[in-house]
Amino acid sequence: MPFAFTSDDLPTAAEFVRNAGRVIKEGGLPADAVLRALTIDAARIAGAADRIGSIEKGKVANVVVTQGDLLDGGTVRHVFIDGRPVELSAQ
């Protein structure tokens, strides 16, 4: 059954990512199921899977490149929105 996560009431994006990682470590959900919930399944639920949610020709190219596993303490190295690089600010 497709499902997605929500960031409602979370103070930061980092908290959202930490919670997704906790679902794997503490909740026992397989990492591939979490990744689907964050990408293609979320897009399907939102009715936007024809445009976003996976890397395919003709879709919007929003991509996050990480060093290490983002859901296990990795860091974001590059972000591309609509195929264009976004400058990351130190936080």
Side-chain angles (χ1 to χ4, degrees):
M1 171 182 289
F3 66 94
F5 298 104
T6 180
S7 60
D8 191 37
D9 265 354
L10 292 177
T12 66
E15 187 69 21
F16 178 79
V17 173
R18 266 193 301 279
N19 284 344
R22 287 178 58 204
V23 172
I24 297 167
K25 288 180 182 177
E26 299 171 22
L29 193 64
D32 64 329
V34 171
L35 182 59
R36 276 193 316 273
L38 293 170
T39 57
I40 192 64
D41 284 351
R44 285 184 182 128
I45 291 167
D50 61 327
R51 297 180 310 281
I52 61 172
S54 61
I55 301 172
E56 297 178 54
K57 185 177 181 178
K59 288 190 173 185
V60 175
N62 294 341
V63 179
V64 176
V65 179
T66 66
Q67 182 172 351
D69 183 346
L70 185 61
L71 301 178
D72 191 23
T75 56
V76 174
R77 303 303 289 178
H78 305 280
V79 174
F80 298 87
I81 297 180
D82 202 16
R84 296 180 186 96
V86 175
E87 187 164 335
L88 302 175
S89 62
Q91 292 186 11

